Amino acid sequence: MKEKLYTIPLNDALNANDECPFCHIERNVEQDLLDYVLGSQSSYMEADIRSKTDEAGFCREHIRKMYDYGNTLGNAWILKTHYRRVISEMNDQFKKYAPTKISFKDKLNKGSDFKNPIAKWVNGKDKSCFICKEFDKTYDRYLDTFFILFKEDSEFRNKVMNGKGFCLHHFGDLLEYGEINLSDKEKSQYYPELFKLMNDNMERVFEDIAWLIEKYDYQNQDAPWKNSKDAVGRGMQKLRGSYPADPPYKQRK
């Protein structure tokens, strides 16, 4: 298959020989989005972009990464206009609020669907994020492209099957998209191969972690480290994705 622009990052991610090619892609896309929002060529002074960031806001994880990124003035501008919007919405919620009568049965039922209406608004803010929304749009395209290449490009498929598998988080996404992008016949062929790939590589990381523990035994102090020195970071990545050992991503000078 002739390589197109949207296939290049997927091939680059596989060539990186990482614990998960989608973690590799996720990191690159997220860093590009941080540059887009706050970098030296950033768009935070553009009214249409600020309108979108004001409306969506940022989740807890990405607002921390924005702080770590730097650019105090850019963050301050984004916060200033976003605060205006949040305060206005919050006061609208306060004006509309009226106490709701709750029955004794509802009080006993802690699993009740009852929610304070202002708490619902707050929870919505917690789940809304400009960077997450922009990433999700790109991530969907990568997942769709993965299955096109996996089915039509034998070289790509061989890279996948001879790679290190995926983190558990992104593997779950692949299975969900596989239900849509693969026929029943393809599922019966590809899924067993992917399952074996995942099992073999989860076992590999487990053995690295187990040997790291053994290295702390004085009897093994002169034994080789094998592949265990970075096993904790890779082990965490394999379970939940991302790169726990990464330093904060900073604004380029």
Side-chain angles (χ1 to χ4, degrees):
M1 172 179 283
K2 185 178 180 181
E3 192 169 49
K4 298 178 182 178
L5 183 62
Y6 52 81
T7 71
I8 293 173
L10 271 169
N11 278 294
D12 287 347
L14 286 172
N15 292 336
N17 198 30
D18 201 342
E19 288 296 345
C20 175
F22 281 99
C23 285
H24 185 93
I25 287 171
E26 184 176 68
R27 177 171 60 186
N28 288 345
V29 172
E30 184 181 68
Q31 289 177 355
D32 287 345
L33 285 168
L34 285 168
D35 289 336
Y36 175 71
V37 172
L38 284 167
S40 57
Q41 302 296 320
S42 65
S43 53
Y44 63 86
M45 293 302 291
E46 297 178 17
D48 59 331
I49 301 301
R50 283 270 289 288
S51 174
K52 292 178 182 178
T53 58
D54 287 347
E55 180 179 0
F58 299 93
C59 66
R60 181 181 295 186
E61 179 181 0
H62 283 125
I63 208 162
R64 177 185 59 80
K65 289 183 177 182
M66 289 166 63
Y67 181 86
D68 290 339
Y69 183 86
N71 191 351
T72 300
L73 179 59
N75 272 306
W77 270 112
I78 290 170
L79 287 172
K80 178 184 177 184
T81 55
H82 184 55
Y83 256 82
R84 280 289 96 207
R85 185 183 186 103
V86 171
I87 290 170
S88 175
E89 290 181 6
M90 183 176 66
N91 282 315
D92 285 343
Q93 291 291 323
F94 292 164
K95 290 174 184 176
K96 293 186 291 185
Y97 175 73
T100 305
K101 291 184 178 181
I102 308 174
S103 69
F104 181 71
K105 182 180 178 181
D106 285 335
K107 289 181 180 180
L108 290 177
N109 182 13
K110 293 184 179 179
S112 168
D113 290 335
F114 172 79
K115 293 279 187 181
N116 179 291
I118 300 177
K120 282 185 179 180
W121 172 78
V122 172
N123 290 336
K125 289 296 178 188
D126 285 345
K127 295 172 184 175
S128 180
C129 176
F130 176 79
I131 292 177
C132 286
K133 286 181 178 179
E134 292 301 309
F135 172 78
D136 286 345
K137 296 175 189 175
T138 307
Y139 184 47
D140 283 345
R141 290 198 292 270
Y142 279 126
L143 287 168
D144 288 335
T145 304
F146 173 89
F147 283 102
I148 293 171
L149 292 174
F150 193 72
K151 291 189 290 184
E152 300 179 8
D153 189 328
S154 58
E155 183 180 352
F156 179 86
R157 183 182 167 192
N158 287 335
K159 283 182 185 179
V160 172
M161 300 315 300
N162 290 303
K164 294 182 176 179
F166 309 91
C167 73
L168 207 57
H169 171 78
H170 289 124
F171 182 60
D173 291 342
L174 282 174
L175 294 179
E176 288 190 358
Y177 272 70
E179 291 299 311
I180 301 169
N181 287 279
L182 297 175
S183 68
D184 289 344
K185 182 179 179 180
E186 289 167 337
K187 290 173 193 174
S188 66
Q189 179 183 356
Y190 296 149
Y191 276 2
E193 296 178 19
L194 288 173
F195 295 164
K196 184 179 185 303
L197 177 70
M198 279 299 294
N199 181 71
D200 289 349
N201 281 284
M202 292 288 281
E203 289 284 355
R204 172 182 55 80
V205 175
F206 168 81
E207 292 298 334
D208 290 343
I209 294 168
W211 180 244
L212 175 65
I213 294 170
E214 292 299 319
K215 271 294 293 176
Y216 278 83
D217 187 324
Y218 74 94
Q219 296 180 73
N220 295 318
Q221 60 183 345
D222 295 325
W225 283 92
K226 301 181 183 178
N227 294 318
S228 69
K229 283 189 175 181
D230 62 347
V232 168
R234 289 188 294 107
M236 290 178 175
Q237 178 190 356
K238 206 70 170 172
L239 288 175
R240 292 293 176 265
S242 77
Y243 295 87
D246 270 5
Y249 181 61
K250 301 283 188 180
Q251 182 181 17
R252 297 186 183 97
K253 300 299 183 184

